[in-house]
Amino acid sequence: MEEFMRYYEKVYTQMYRTAFYYMRNRQEAEDAVQDAVLIAYEKFYQLRDKEKFAPWIMQILVNRCRKRMKDWFRREEDIEDLSASLQRELSKETDLAMASTVKQVFWELKEEERCIVALSVFGGYTSQEIAKILNRNHSTIRSRYRRALQKMRKKLEV
């Protein structure tokens, strides 16, 4: 348990940022991180190279976020159903319309592109680290990241 905690302490802020970017909801992000940590703790003994803990647990987190998003988007929630506290939180957004547009454009990206952008922008991972997490070539990650940002920029300019 102590060994797991030492590794976890190094990545928990990145995990939360990444989950929050994916989920755009504090509670859902916390739940996703909690799920990922529980799974990682239960399977920690299977991790042969402990130095690869960060990419390993981030991959678990990304998978949990994907699963939660699928479940989340299957439910249709109306803005009137939101609690008063969430409505106050939303009203604090400086430009809700722009945030909504960016989110919509983000969701129009392919799943792998969304993952790469999220890990880079909010997770703070380099393209080499993302390549390890996603088991892809480093140059592939760089080009897909660049193309994803170009797609988003092009759609936002319209």
Side-chain angles (χ1 to χ4, degrees), residues 85-99:
S85 64
L86 186 54
Q87 286 180 11
R88 281 192 301 274
E89 189 176 310
L90 288 174
S91 69
K92 291 178 185 177
E93 293 288 332
T94 55
D95 187 1
L96 185 58
M98 183 55 153

Side-chain angles (χ1 to χ4, degrees), residues 3-101:
E3 183 181 18
F4 179 82
M5 289 305 294
R6 278 196 311 271
Y7 287 107
Y8 173 65
E9 287 174 349
K10 295 177 184 176
V11 297
Y12 75 92
T13 55
Q14 292 173 338
M15 289 180 70
Y16 178 74
R17 278 190 302 210
T18 302
F20 184 75
Y21 180 71
Y22 260 97
M23 308 308 292
R24 299 304 283 166
N25 178 296
R26 192 179 80 233
Q27 291 83 14
E28 288 288 334
E30 289 171 356
D31 288 346
V33 170
Q34 199 171 42
D35 290 350
V37 170
L38 180 61
I39 291 167
Y41 180 73
E42 290 173 349
K43 308 259 183 194
F44 186 65
Y45 70 93
Q46 294 177 349
L47 182 62
R48 292 183 189 134
D49 185 0
K50 304 297 187 209
E51 295 305 313
K52 294 184 179 178
F53 179 81
W56 176 72
I57 198 167
M58 289 303 292
Q59 183 61 56
I60 294 171
L61 176 65
V62 167
N63 290 339
R64 293 309 303 167
C65 287
R66 287 177 180 164
K67 183 178 183 328
R68 287 184 156 280
M69 285 188 306
K70 285 179 186 174
D71 296 342
W72 194 27
F73 284 109
R74 285 185 185 141
R75 293 181 267 133
E76 291 186 29
E77 295 182 25
D78 201 11
I79 192 92
E80 288 82 51
D81 296 337
L82 297 174
S83 68
S85 64
L86 186 54
Q87 286 180 11
R88 281 192 301 274
E89 189 176 310
L90 288 174
S91 69
K92 291 178 185 177
E93 293 288 332
T94 55
D95 187 1
L96 185 58
M98 183 55 153
S100 176
T101 304

